[in-house]
């Protein structure tokens, strides 16, 4: 049964930690105020939503798939939760609305991938466009405001100086790490990503595992959508635009292999932080936004090349 290659994975994680620290030191020298407490909290807040989404995306990519729909699902669940709250629906039910819609979108994508044999790229690309369209339809193309005061608690609360979304991201990442490393379901995810045929021969119900991965990823997208809407104080139909690219970038930079079978939540955490520090530092250094996009593209390509080289070296050593 396929398992994460711990030594090589840990080496990559340590290298990413070092790269993030070096990156932070460089920006501290060129951007005054970079290491201030306020800016560190700003970085943490900026990566909170991406971090929540990245947990589910890590599982999807480890299984050998991809999910392009998460940004649109964030928008759909955000406006749906805001509409429910604006109409007097109690907080627990609003949470269920967001998670339920996220679950439904993930279940549709999972069913298409697992049973209809639609490539994950195509299935989730279709969900991307459909969810974004639904977000504009249910909101009439406008932001949903006028929300009760409790709606802002999830996105704007602060506990012991730490923003609520950051605490939520940490909790989701911890739970995701436990699932991937300490449960049979997590081992099955690695196995399916490493070799689905061998997994099926070993008795793993590959289709059910695949379906469950996308469904759970949808739930996390629903949670992220509610958190973002709470932070904004409104349901915005064009929210989450291009989030899928940021999330995939964080997961890939964190060492998760695009070919499946390898990746950790710890690596994803550092990949998320690396990109967050990079974006924040370049902003403080007044680097042109278009140059920032080029820099991010270079980082993603470098991570993909490193993954391919690592895989080839591993095959040569085997």
């Amino acid at each position: 049964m396929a398992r994460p290659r711990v030594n090589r994975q840990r080496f990559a994680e340590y290298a990413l930690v070092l790269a993030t620290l070096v990156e932070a030191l460089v920006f501290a020298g060129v951007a005054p105020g970079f290491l201030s407490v306020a800016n560190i909290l700003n970085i943490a807040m900026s990566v909170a939503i991406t971090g929540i989404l990245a947990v589910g995306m890590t599982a999807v990519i480890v299984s050998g798939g991809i999910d392009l729909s998460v940004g649109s699902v964030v928008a759909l669940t955000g406006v749906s939760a805001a509409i429910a709250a604006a109409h007097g629906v109690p907080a627990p039910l609003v949470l269920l609305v967001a998670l339920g819609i996220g679950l439904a979108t993930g279940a549709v994508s999972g069913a298409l991938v697992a049973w209809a044999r639609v490539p994950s790229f195509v299935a989730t690309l279709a969900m991307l466009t459909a969810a974004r369209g639904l977000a504009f339809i249910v909101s009439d193309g406008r932001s949903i405001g006028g929300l009760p005061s409790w709606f802002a608690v999830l996105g704007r609360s602060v506990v012991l100086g730490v923003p609520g979304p950051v605490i939520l991201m940490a909790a989701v990442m911890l739970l995701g790490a436990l699932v991937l490393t300490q449960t049979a379901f997590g081992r099955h995810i690695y196995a399916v990503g490493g070799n689905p045929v061998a997994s099926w021969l070993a008795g793993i119900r590959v289709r059910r595992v695949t379906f469950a991965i996308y469904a759970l990823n949808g739930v996390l997208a629903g949670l992220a959508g509610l958190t973002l809407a709470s932070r904004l104080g409104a349901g915005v139909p064009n929210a989450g635009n291009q989030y899928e690219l940021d999330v995939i970038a964080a997961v890939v930079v964190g060492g998760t292999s695009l070919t499946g079978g390898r990746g950790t939540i710890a690596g994803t955490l550092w990949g998320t932080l690396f990109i967050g520090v990079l974006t924040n530092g370049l902003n403080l250094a007044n680097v042109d936004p278009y140059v920032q996009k080029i820099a991010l593209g270079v980082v993603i390509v470098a991570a993909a090349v490193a993954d391919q080289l690592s895989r080839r070296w591993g095959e040569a050593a085997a």
Side-chain angles (χ1 to χ4, degrees):
M1 189 178 296
R3 296 292 301 274
R5 297 177 182 179
V6 177
N7 292 336
R8 191 170 58 184
Q9 185 72 48
R10 285 184 178 174
F11 176 79
E13 290 170 8
Y14 294 151
L16 184 57
V17 171
L18 179 60
T20 304
L21 294 177
V22 171
E23 179 186 44
L25 290 175
V26 170
F27 284 129
V30 300
F34 177 82
L35 290 180
S36 66
V37 174
N39 189 59
I40 291 174
L41 288 176
N42 183 46
I43 293 174
M45 277 291 289
S46 70
V47 303
I49 304 299
T50 302
I52 293 171
L53 294 170
V55 173
M57 188 66 74
T58 299
V60 170
I61 295 179
V62 165
S63 73
I66 197 78
D67 192 341
L68 303 178
S69 69
V70 290
S72 296
V73 174
V74 163
L76 176 59
T77 54
V79 297
S80 299
I83 291 172
H87 283 80
V89 176
L93 292 182
V94 170
L95 175 62
L96 289 178
V97 166
L99 299 184
I101 291 176
L103 173 62
T105 59
V108 171
S109 296
L112 289 173
V113 174
W115 282 287
R117 303 291 182 89
V118 177
S120 59
F121 180 92
V122 176
T124 58
L125 180 61
M127 182 56 70
L128 177 153
T129 57
R132 184 67 66 179
L134 284 172
F136 276 92
I137 289 173
V138 300
S139 65
D140 290 328
R142 59 184 177 84
S143 296
I144 309 299
L147 304 176
S149 58
W150 57 259
F151 191 82
V153 171
L154 184 61
R156 299 184 183 181
S157 61
V158 177
V159 180
L160 299 177
V162 182
V166 177
I167 297 174
L168 182 60
M169 178 191 73
V172 170
M173 284 199 161
L174 177 60
L175 181 60
L178 290 174
V179 169
L180 281 179
T181 61
Q182 303 299 321
T183 68
F185 178 61
R187 292 190 291 273
H188 291 171
I189 292 174
Y190 283 108
V192 169
N195 191 324
V197 175
S199 299
W200 179 77
L201 292 174
I204 296 174
R205 297 185 175 183
V206 174
R207 292 182 181 180
R208 291 189 181 183
V209 171
T210 300
F211 173 80
I213 293 168
Y214 284 90
L216 291 174
N217 189 44
V219 171
L220 290 179
L223 179 61
L226 176 60
T227 305
L228 180 60
S230 175
R231 179 181 172 187
L232 297 175
V236 183
N238 63 353
N241 190 34
Q242 293 190 340
Y243 268 32
E244 56 277 349
L245 301 182
D246 294 338
V247 172
I248 292 171
V251 174
V252 172
V253 170
T256 299
S257 175
L258 283 169
T259 55
R262 191 175 80 240
T264 65
I265 298 299
T268 293
L269 170 61
W270 283 104
T272 303
L273 291 175
F274 182 89
I275 292 178
V277 169
L278 177 66
T279 302
N280 178 270
L282 292 176
N283 281 330
L284 291 181
N286 295 316
V287 175
D288 187 282
Y290 298 109
V291 176
Q292 293 184 33
K293 292 183 180 297
I294 294 173
L296 181 58
V298 170
V299 169
I300 295 172
V301 170
V305 171
D307 172 57
Q308 290 300 315
L309 291 176
S310 176
R311 180 171 289 275
R312 290 177 184 176
W313 290 336
E315 291 174 351

